[in-house]
Amino acid sequence: MTRLSASTLANAPAGVRVPDYDRSQITPGIVHLGIGAFHRAHMAVYVDDLLKHHPDWGIVGASLRRPDTKEALEPQDGLYTVAVRDASGTHPRIIGSIIKVLDANSQREELLALMASPQIKIVSLTVTEKGYCHDPATGELDQHHPDIMHDLANPTAPKSAPGMLVEALARRHAAGVTPFAVMSCDNLPSNGATVKRIVAKFAALREAALGEFVAGVAFPGTMVDRIVPSTTDADRDMVAGLIGADDAWPIMTEPFTQWVIEDHFPDGRPPFELAGAQLVEDVEPFERMKLRMLNGSHSTMAYLGYLAGYEYISDVMGDDNFVALIHGLMTEEAMPTLDMPGVDLGAYRDQLLDRFRNPALKHRTWQIAMDGSQKLPQRLLGTIRDRLAAGQPFERLGLGVAAWMRYVIGIDEKGETIDVRDPLAMRMMAIAADAGDDAEALYEGLAALTEVFGSDLGDNQTFGETVATHLDDLFEIGVAETVAELVETSATP
Ligand code: CS2
């Protein structure tokens, strides 16, 4: 079969949506760092909707770590398929908004020069939680992070996202070019303000005047939402059948998409609202809602579900006890911590449960379980802090935390090894080895990780009792029984 590319695009079968604009007329206005699956299912689709009438907002994507996206997309002239899946079937669309992909390792100068050029008005990012090189509990730059130490020693040849942003901004500053807006599209709490704090700190460590310059840069916050499972070879085959060409890296996703953006782009922006984004003054309530409801549920389902032998989120949703647990976690524990005038939180929850049920979306529990040390603070621990402060129980959230602790020891209920992917994996394994089969010692060891639990939670007695009791149950009676018991004891008569 022929490969998807500009020259084969015209052969796409009727019914497959293709770019409705002349791609040769598109010029770059956005550089996106972290050109992974999420960006390609989300922001790149919104931009694709706009390019016909706003051709100067093309995207140049860059990968900071691996050249695999560039290798997949370059022979395809940047084109790729987004396959939207649900019970009604699979609906492919070919996206053309990414006009070029650069590999930061081998094309660093080209990328920095582009980021420094006046035509780039926005640098957006999806580098995952760990890509910001910060302490997840405090949201501050981790000055001892190896990439940060490298970038401070080699500021003009940086590796990290903060290092790249600051070097590009420094070049603009020196040339008298107005700064680009920095738009994080990652699931961090207050992502605009948090990333600004991290990047401004890095800049100040380089040079005080640079720190001041970065303090004046716009970092609009965003809430991004679309579920994007990793692509498999079976997906590739299926998509090839649908579009009549080989696509080395199609993206699988769900029909739902949401993007809430803080409207703060002093140097201009595309009319994202015309593509369905919500432009608001304050995005934080939306972020908190999504992180605590969707992502908090996701992580809880990922650890418990994986341990219970469920490969996909839709499998977890086939178990009534898990559904009751997640329904309760959202309704009883997360929703009371959210202040969202004008938003029907019950309807939001029900929509989430439907999205989790999507049978066509093969979303692995293992995929979501990754990098828990970076995710727990904003997904579960912030909610728990609010519950503690209000003197309210948090049994289900506590079970979510205990399940993470049970998961990161790296052995499942059948005694098989779990491939734990996390920047703290080695340290956590060492803690688990020291604790042996003593659940209390495991709790103590992991709760002492201040970059996850801060300096407060590890010493909090209520937190300790709740989580350690669940952890003990997970070892003693197993996941299925622990979930069943919690659901039974918390059921409203
Ligand atoms: C998931 C998210 O992998 C994960 O940690 O919870 O990627 C989730 O699917 C997205 O945030 C949905 O918008």
Side-chain angles (χ1 to χ4, degrees):
M1 206 179 289
T2 52
R3 182 90 176 255
L4 172 65
S5 72
S7 57
T8 61
L9 196 55
N11 309 336
V16 176
R17 184 166 161 192
V18 299
D20 60 354
Y21 46 88
D22 177 358
R23 291 187 80 224
S24 67
Q25 297 305 307
I26 305 299
T27 55
I30 299 170
V31 166
H32 186 82
L33 304 182
I35 192 82
F38 182 74
H39 172 75
R40 282 185 278 150
H42 191 263
M43 178 173 171
V45 180
Y46 287 81
V47 172
D48 194 68
D49 280 339
L50 298 174
L51 287 177
K52 182 170 183 188
H53 299 296
H54 305 278
D56 43 359
W57 287 106
I59 302 171
V60 174
S63 46
L64 298 184
R65 304 266 160 232
R66 291 183 304 268
D68 48 358
T69 305
K70 178 184 163 70
E71 282 160 11
L73 295 196
E74 205 161 61
Q76 302 180 182
D77 304 309
L79 294 164
Y80 65 94
T81 314
V82 166
V84 173
R85 311 196 70 190
D86 65 9
S88 73
T90 301
H91 311 281
R93 165 174 172 185
I94 295 169
I95 302 295
S97 53
I98 299 176
I99 51 181
K100 189 171 188 170
V101 181
L102 297 172
D103 164 36
N105 282 318
S106 57
Q107 296 170 293
R108 182 164 287 106
E109 258 317 302
E110 189 180 339
L111 174 58
L112 284 167
L114 180 67
M115 289 168 76
S117 78
Q119 61 178 332
I120 298 301
K121 312 268 188 223
I122 298 175
V123 173
S124 50
L125 301 97
T126 40
V127 293
T128 81
E129 294 86 348
K130 63 176 178 277
Y132 293 94
C133 310
H134 71 303
D135 178 315
T138 60
E140 301 290 341
L141 178 75
D142 174 3
Q143 297 183 37
H144 304 293
H145 191 292
D147 289 353
I148 295 301
M149 289 170 57
H150 169 275
D151 290 359
L152 285 172
N154 307 275
T156 57
K159 287 187 192 174
S160 71
M164 291 295 294
L165 289 169
V166 171
E167 176 57 11
L169 286 167
R171 292 185 189 191
R172 287 175 93 108
H173 185 40
V177 175
T178 49
F180 44 69
V182 179
M183 179 169 62
S184 166
C185 297
D186 280 295
N187 285 320
L188 299 178
S190 317
N191 60 6
T194 302
V195 174
K196 179 166 186 161
R197 189 168 55 238
I198 295 166
V199 174
K201 177 74 190 183
F202 179 86
L205 290 173
R206 268 187 63 171
E207 194 193 318
L210 201 51
E212 279 160 38
F213 180 68
V214 173
V217 172
F219 284 70
T222 63
M223 181 266 247
V224 293
D225 190 6
R226 197 166 208 188
I227 294 174
V228 189
S230 326
T231 304
T232 64
D233 286 341
D235 296 330
R236 288 186 177 83
D237 291 346
M238 189 242 326
V239 167
L242 292 171
I243 66 164
D246 276 327
D247 180 345
W249 205 332
I251 305 295
M252 305 295 117
T253 190
E254 59 173 341
F256 182 91
T257 178
Q258 188 178 14
W259 195 11
V260 188
I261 308 171
E262 181 192 345
D263 198 0
H264 182 41
F265 296 83
D267 208 20
R269 61 165 172 82
F272 288 126
E273 66 278 13
L274 298 181
Q278 295 159 258
L279 276 297
V280 299
E281 233 172 80
D282 183 9
V283 76
E284 292 197 14
F286 294 92
E287 289 188 88
R288 196 172 309 118
M289 171 180 79
K290 190 247 169 181
L291 287 167
R292 292 186 176 189
M293 299 278 281
L294 188 157
N295 299 110
S297 301
H298 248 178
S299 289
T300 303
M301 287 193 282
Y303 300 115
L304 288 169
Y306 183 96
L307 291 165
Y310 294 131
E311 187 173 4
Y312 302 115
I313 288 293
S314 52
D315 298 339
V316 176
M317 293 298 291
D319 181 325
D320 290 345
N321 284 335
F322 276 76
V323 175
L325 176 80
I326 294 306
H327 188 282
L329 182 150
M330 288 198 270
T331 314
E332 307 291 334
E333 300 185 9
M335 277 159 55
T337 70
L338 301 170
D339 183 18
M340 295 292 299
V343 173
D344 180 345
L345 286 174
Y348 182 70
R349 171 205 59 212
D350 292 344
Q351 186 184 38
L352 287 177
L353 292 169
D354 279 345
R355 291 170 64 197
F356 297 153
R357 275 191 196 99
N358 186 339
L361 215 56
K362 299 286 178 212
H363 199 193
R364 286 205 149 73
T365 49
W366 178 82
Q367 182 183 342
I368 302 168
M370 251 183 262
D371 294 343
S373 68
Q374 316 291 302
K375 293 174 174 173
L376 246 50
Q378 56 274 22
R379 296 180 175 208
L380 298 175
L381 303 179
T383 327
I384 290 178
R385 280 193 182 88
D386 285 356
R387 302 285 297 168
L388 277 167
Q392 290 164 335
F394 53 92
E395 292 298 330
R396 304 168 183 88
L397 296 160
L399 175 57
V401 176
W404 170 74
M405 292 183 164
R406 170 67 189 81
Y407 179 91
V408 298
I409 66 173
I411 308 279
D412 72 12
E413 291 193 341
K414 294 197 194 95
E416 290 181 14
T417 305
I418 306 173
D419 180 6
V420 176
R421 303 272 176 99
D422 194 292
L424 301 190
M426 299 301 272
R427 274 169 69 197
M428 298 191 299
M429 300 273 186
I431 291 170
D434 282 348
D437 54 8
D438 181 346
E440 183 66 34
L442 179 64
Y443 169 80
E444 294 292 342
L446 291 171
L449 291 169
T450 51
E451 53 273 78
V452 181
F453 294 99
S455 48
D456 56 339
L457 281 182
D459 293 333
N460 185 293
Q461 204 185 338
T462 313
F463 180 75
E465 278 167 13
T466 308
V467 176
T469 305
H470 287 309
L471 186 57
D472 197 45
D473 282 348
L474 290 173
F475 281 112
E476 291 302 320
I477 58 176
V479 172
E481 204 50 37
T482 304
V483 172
E485 277 190 8
L486 179 51
V487 166
E488 197 181 323
T489 51
S490 56
T492 30

